[in-house]
Amino acid sequence: MGKKDLRGHIQNLAIAVLSLSALFLLTQLPLLHNIPLFHRVPSLFSPSPVSAGREEGALPAAMFSSVNLMVTGDGEYRRNGRLCVSAGDPELLQYIIPLFQEALGSAGSLEQSPDGGFRAALNGPGLYLELGGALPLEAAAAWLGMEEPLNFNLRLRAMALTTGGEEDVSLYLLEEGGGIFRCATALPVSALGSICEKYLPNGANFAFETAHSGLEPYAILTADSGGPLPDIQAELPAGYSAYNLLTALDFNAHTLSRYTESSGAEVVEETPRTLRIAPDGTVSLNSRWETASPLYQASGQGLREILAAAWRLASALTAGTGASPVYLHTVEETESGYTLRFRYQAEGVPVLFPDAGDALSVVYQNGVVTSFTYRCRVYEALEGEPAAMLPASMAQAIAAASPGSSLSIGYADDGSGQLAAQWLR
């Protein structure tokens, strides 16, 4: 290659680089933010998000809320109960989840079970998992790491594995409406028994085994809170800003299509989306029809595709602001899609708001986000002696005064800043 040809190639390369640089700079001009071509160009200069046609495979266990666990033995006095076990707990992942996964994968036909039959089965070695909220069985199966679709559909609040004096383990599914269903599995009794033997009794009981008849019968009642829980500091993260949120949510961070309400909330309009960012950390989005951004689209309209897409959106909010992660609490099916509700956890313990609102709620219609509401918060454990909790027996007696109540541990974020763990109904 001659010097003249080499010089020509270098000049062409330089022109191409300068042209791309100029195009990128043009996309930053607010006046051009509504032009589709310029709106799409920045993706050339940044890592691509997961496209709407390529969802993640297995969903991370860390996406799901903590659970309550009861390990049963021979007789009602051989119970080991644990509250607020993280869905990503290594012990849960190593010993418990594989058993439920195998049992669900080999489950036979469902048959309704009376309370008496289920309670009798709980007097032998077994495992009882109370979910953090009501989930479609398909969502629970996704948490367990199952990829194959199931043959039956329930809205699940708890599930159990029992021996029942048979050669193989029985699987019980407790639905939100109170129904109990049983099915046979191919899981051998020896596999379940070997895991149950690892847990020594710790004084836990089911509510139906105690004098607290007012409580939900299968509520897990422990002898204590399971150890001291630290006080936590609740506040807005340092990264909570309009610029960071607009960037994380695939808006033009330099847009001029914005105004400030008298309350101090900033409203950004980018057709067809409207984003509202309040000073107290509340962020809401409404969209009138399908958007071009893949962040708001699932690869399909099935529940697993929706779960994966919602996790991407939740992760974008968390990473963009430096907020604490959120965990899937409940899933509700609607006529044209799903509503997913997430909550915060600190040290594996749920953080609840006085108005019973969610940390994040996302509405999908036909596989596309049409709205979400987000409370941006960060929670950090404080050093020092934590505030004392009520004795478990006293908390159980108080909760039993409200018929149908359950009982667990949580933090109540009332906006005061410093929060202490407490018993919650």
Side-chain angles (χ1 to χ4, degrees), residues 265-350:
E266 188 166 357
V267 180
V268 179
E269 295 181 335
E270 188 175 279
T271 304
R273 303 171 296 173
T274 300
L275 186 70
R276 186 177 184 276
I277 305 169
D280 65 355
T282 303
V283 182
S284 60
L285 175 135
N286 286 283
S287 181
R288 292 190 297 276
W289 60 80
E290 184 173 334
T291 62
S293 171
L295 183 62
Y296 303 94
Q297 299 182 65
S299 63
Q301 298 183 33
L303 179 54
R304 287 177 183 261
E305 291 88 351
I306 298 296
L307 289 173
W311 181 241
R312 287 192 288 112
L313 177 60
S315 299
L317 287 164
T318 299
T321 60
S324 294
V326 294
Y327 301 85
L328 184 66
H329 175 48
T330 61
V331 176
E332 301 165 4
E333 188 170 2
T334 63
E335 185 176 345
S336 58
Y338 295 91
T339 298
L340 284 72
R341 304 185 185 279
F342 295 77
R343 69 184 182 193
Y344 286 113
Q345 292 180 182
E347 306 294 317
V349 177

Side-chain angles (χ1 to χ4, degrees), residues 58-109:
L59 295 166
M63 174 183 179
F64 296 86
S65 293
S66 57
V67 298
N68 296 331
L69 169 67
M70 179 77 93
V71 182
T72 64
D74 291 317
E76 63 182 81
Y77 300 106
R78 297 189 59 82
R79 314 286 202 211
N80 183 296
R82 295 173 58 195
L83 302 178
C84 303
V85 181
S86 169
D89 180 82
E91 192 172 294
L92 196 69
L93 293 173
Q94 182 177 356
Y95 298 118
I96 309 298
I97 286 181
L99 295 180
F100 279 96
Q101 186 183 62
E102 184 174 345
L104 266 175
S106 63
S109 58

Side-chain angles (χ1 to χ4, degrees), residues 143-398:
W143 166 51
L144 296 174
M146 299 183 64
E147 297 183 1
E148 295 297 323
L150 300 173
N151 296 325
F152 32 81
N153 183 35
L154 293 173
R155 188 165 169 79
L156 206 62
R157 65 183 178 90
M159 50 187 168
L161 298 176
T162 69
T163 54
E166 301 176 2
E167 293 184 2
D168 295 320
V169 171
S170 293
L171 171 67
Y172 284 87
L173 302 174
L174 285 70
E175 67 173 354
E176 185 182 27
I180 302 175
F181 298 87
R182 175 194 170 277
C183 53
T185 76
L187 184 66
V189 168
S190 58
L192 180 59
S194 63
I195 297 300
C196 294
E197 290 172 358
K198 297 179 182 290
Y199 296 85
L200 298 176
N202 66 355
N205 283 290
F206 290 105
F208 74 82
E209 299 171 321
T210 71
H212 303 305
S213 58
L215 290 172
E216 196 282 320
Y218 299 106
I220 297 174
L221 306 183
T222 56
D224 53 44
S225 63
L229 292 168
D231 291 351
I232 60 173
Q233 183 68 33
E235 58 190 6
L236 278 175
Y240 181 75
S241 69
Y243 180 88
N244 286 345
L245 282 163
L246 291 171
T247 302
L249 294 173
D250 203 17
F251 278 71
N252 182 351
H254 304 280
T255 181
L256 295 181
S257 298
R258 62 211 296 174
Y259 61 91
T260 303
E261 297 178 335
S262 58
S263 63
E266 188 166 357
V267 180
V268 179
E269 295 181 335
E270 188 175 279
T271 304
R273 303 171 296 173
T274 300
L275 186 70
R276 186 177 184 276
I277 305 169
D280 65 355
T282 303
V283 182
S284 60
L285 175 135
N286 286 283
S287 181
R288 292 190 297 276
W289 60 80
E290 184 173 334
T291 62
S293 171
L295 183 62
Y296 303 94
Q297 299 182 65
S299 63
Q301 298 183 33
L303 179 54
R304 287 177 183 261
E305 291 88 351
I306 298 296
L307 289 173
W311 181 241
R312 287 192 288 112
L313 177 60
S315 299
L317 287 164
T318 299
T321 60
S324 294
V326 294
Y327 301 85
L328 184 66
H329 175 48
T330 61
V331 176
E332 301 165 4
E333 188 170 2
T334 63
E335 185 176 345
S336 58
Y338 295 91
T339 298
L340 284 72
R341 304 185 185 279
F342 295 77
R343 69 184 182 193
Y344 286 113
Q345 292 180 182
E347 306 294 317
V349 177
V351 179
L352 307 180
F353 296 100
D355 62 0
D358 307 299
L360 171 66
S361 61
V362 190
V363 177
Y364 281 87
Q365 293 184 4
N366 301 318
V368 178
V369 174
T370 56
S371 67
F372 76 70
T373 301
Y374 175 57
R375 299 191 194 197
C376 189
R377 304 289 277 166
V378 64
Y379 300 97
E380 294 182 355
L382 297 173
E383 296 181 357
E385 188 71 19
M389 294 179 61
L390 276 178
S393 57
M394 186 179 298
Q396 292 161 11
I398 294 172

Side-chain angles (χ1 to χ4, degrees), residues 214-216 219 343 352 356 390 394-410 422-425:
L215 290 172
E216 196 282 320
R343 69 184 182 193
L352 307 180
L390 276 178
M394 186 179 298
Q396 292 161 11
I398 294 172
S402 299
S405 294
S406 189
L407 186 66
S408 192
I409 300 170
Q422 55 187 287
W423 293 100
L424 299 173
R425 290 200 297 266

